[in-house]
């Protein structure tokens, strides 16, 4: 079964080349992308089942055993996040196909979108499955290259500016990432994560703390942690809805995943981590207040994205099994909800012609379905029961209360406050965009770009794809019990690390 671990990385890369070869055949590209993502969904589900029942699955590339060789590892955490991520990528691709057919017709092919989208899928998969720091760096570079192409397609001045901001910040963090890898290798003689967990214990405390802090900075940039978040609200809102949705759903979560994996597997700490709890509180409050100050719908959602990264940092800061269980549940919830909200934003601008909340109104009368599609993920993001956000936040709150330290109690209070601010922010969108008098849509300010707005034209594919993601957010709440159990087992594996190390360094699958 270990060969299945390579499928999510290699299959989309091969399919990307094939998709490029069929660049003039639109339907071939579309069906190829959907088929590949469908296969990866099945593969990820199988990996999750075997990782949960039998322990981590490991593939040693080229037959070279770790720590010398490259290892791909599918444990419970990696397989679960891979499954959720690819399901979201499948739904977003459906939306994108429906949008392109609506705007340009069924016969119009896209030379670059489908191949690059598959390359992005490969990069995300590699980030989850890699067992060493250098190939984690490679995964981030694959995601950076593909995301830059996606964010600057059909270039306009604003999108070039946004793309340059995103790229410069990402490249700067990549230089820091490479520096960190060099320092880690110089200090320990290895970059394999399982081996690092053993080698770090042989170092004096000072260099260990310095390396841990450097990793926090590197992955803090990737995950948009305050105060390293400034690039995100300027980059994401300028891309078309499907691109923004997939960026918001996955790229920052990969950064959070990398931070969780490295900080817990490689370094040892006691429960309640003051530094991370402080960063979590700052991220929650700054993001929420930034969202309340916005009139641009997409910028508001971007700031809420930053704010809710803080919830995940909070669970990491609690640093016990209960906290990590809450983090895993929250990542699963947030991947689906954030993608859904940005897709709904794309539907909204189809009817309004603008992202300015002050110039919207009456959408509930024009399209009650869009109103429902917005209400469900918005209430879930705010943590209103019985939606998935309530389940995930409840797990985090219980963990924060249970740890018992004063700093954790304060951070728990900030979680509650931020949830209330989030509810106010989404209620403000509802009152301005969906209530009130119906307003005439504004004209498309730039018909030459891919941000087609103000036409009122949507397709069944776009609405159905959004509906699939709304349904997935509901299913996360319905399946909260089984998901919580899997998340708890994954959190236990993270804290212990024994199964992961035995599987990787033992040369096979561990239980």
């Amino acid at each position: 079964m270990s060969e299945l671990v390579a499928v999510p990385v290699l299959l989309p890369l091969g399919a990307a080349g094939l998709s490029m070869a069929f660049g003039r055949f639109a339907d071939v590209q579309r069906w190829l992308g959907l088929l590949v993502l469908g296969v990866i969904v099945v593969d990820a589900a199988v990996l999750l089942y075997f990782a949960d029942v039998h322990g981590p699955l490991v593939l040693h590339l080229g037959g070279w055993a770790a720590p010398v060789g490259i290892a791909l590892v599918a444990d419970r955490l990696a397989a679960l996040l891979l499954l959720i991520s690819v399901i979201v990528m499948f739904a977003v691709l459906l939306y994108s196909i429906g949008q392109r057919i609506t705007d340009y017709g069924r016969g119009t092919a896209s030379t670059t979108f489908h191949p690059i989208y598959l390359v992005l899928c490969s990069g995300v998969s590699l980030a989850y499955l890699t067992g060493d720091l250098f190939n984690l760096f490679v995964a981030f570079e694959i995601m950076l290259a593909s995301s830059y192409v996606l964010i600057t397609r059909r270039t306009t001045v604003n999108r070039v500016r946004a793309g340059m901001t995103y790229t410069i910040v990402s490249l700067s963090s990549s230089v820091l990432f490479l520096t960190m890898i060099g320092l880690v290798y110089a200090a320990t003689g290895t970059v394999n994560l399982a081996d690092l967990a053993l080698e770090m214990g042989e170092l004096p405390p000072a260099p260990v703390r310095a390396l841990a802090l450097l990793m926090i900075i590197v992955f803090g940039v990737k995950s948009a942690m305050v105060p390293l978040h400034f690039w995100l609200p300027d980059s994401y809102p300028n891309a078309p809805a499907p691109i923004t949705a997939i960026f918001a759903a996955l790229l920052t979560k990969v950064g959070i995943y990398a931070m969780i994996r490295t900080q817990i597997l490689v370094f040892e700490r006691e429960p309640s981590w003051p530094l991370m709890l402080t960063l979590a509180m700052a991220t929650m409050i700054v993001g929420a207040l930034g969202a309340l100050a916005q009139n641009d719908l997409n910028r508001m959602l971007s700031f809420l994205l930053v704010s809710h990264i803080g919830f995940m940092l909070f669970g990491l800061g609690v640093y016990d099994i209960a906290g990590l269980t809450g983090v895993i549940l929250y990542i699963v919830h947030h991947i689906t909800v954030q993608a859904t909200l940005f897709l709904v934003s794309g539907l909204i601008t189809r009817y309004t012609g603008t992202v300015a909340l002050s110039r919207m109104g009456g959408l509930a009368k024009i399209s009650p379905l869009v109103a429902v599609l917005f209400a469900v993920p918005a209430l879930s993001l705010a943590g209103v029961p019985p939606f998935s956000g309530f389940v995930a936040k409840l797990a985090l709150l219980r963990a924060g209360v249970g740890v018992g330290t004063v700093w954790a109690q304060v951070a728990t209070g900030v979680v509650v406050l931020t949830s209330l601010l989030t509810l106010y922010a989404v209620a403000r969108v509802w009152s301005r965009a969906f209530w009130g008098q119906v307003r005439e849509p504004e004209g498309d300010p730039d018909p030459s770009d891919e941000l087609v707005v103000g036409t009122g034209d949507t397709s069944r594919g776009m609405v159905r794809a959004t509906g699939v993601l709304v349904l997935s957010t509901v299913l996360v709440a319905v399946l909260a019990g089984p998901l919580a159990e899997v998340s708890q087992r994954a959190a236990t594996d993270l804290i212990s690390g024994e199964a992961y190390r035995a599987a990787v360094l033992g040369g096979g699958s561990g239980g």
Side-chain angles (χ1 to χ4, degrees), residues 277 280 284 309-318 396-397 400 408 411-412 415:
L277 290 173
M284 285 187 277
I309 292 297
F311 286 77
M312 304 167 210
L313 297 175
F314 167 74
L316 176 59
V318 172
L396 287 174
L397 289 172
T412 303
V415 168

Side-chain angles (χ1 to χ4, degrees), residues 423-508:
L423 180 59
Y424 177 74
V426 296
R428 182 166 159 264
V429 174
W430 180 267
S431 64
R432 293 193 176 189
F434 293 94
W435 283 356
Q437 294 182 347
V438 176
R439 298 198 180 193
E440 290 295 321
E442 300 184 11
D444 192 337
D446 190 354
S448 65
D449 67 6
E450 288 195 346
L451 289 168
V452 178
V453 297
T455 63
D457 294 332
T458 58
S459 66
R460 291 181 179 179
M462 296 167 67
V463 175
R464 286 174 180 171
T466 309
V468 167
L469 285 181
V470 171
L471 180 61
S472 69
T473 66
V474 175
L475 284 176
V476 170
V478 172
L479 300 175
L483 274 174
E485 292 174 359
V486 173
S487 298
Q488 186 176 36
R489 291 193 290 271
T492 303
D493 289 346
L494 277 170
I495 291 292
S496 168
E498 292 300 327
Y500 188 96
R501 287 191 288 268
V504 175
L505 301 178

Side-chain angles (χ1 to χ4, degrees), residues 123-134:
V124 171
S125 301
L126 179 60
Y128 288 140
L129 297 172
T130 185
D132 66 85
L133 282 176
F134 183 77

Side-chain angles (χ1 to χ4, degrees), residues 385-423:
F387 298 106
S388 61
F390 172 75
V391 175
K393 287 180 182 178
L394 182 61
L396 287 174
L397 289 172
R398 292 178 63 183
V401 171
V403 77
T405 64
V406 174
W407 211 232
Q409 305 297 321
V410 173
T412 303
V414 174
V415 168
V416 176
L417 174 62
T418 306
S419 298
L420 294 175
L421 293 176
T422 300
L423 180 59

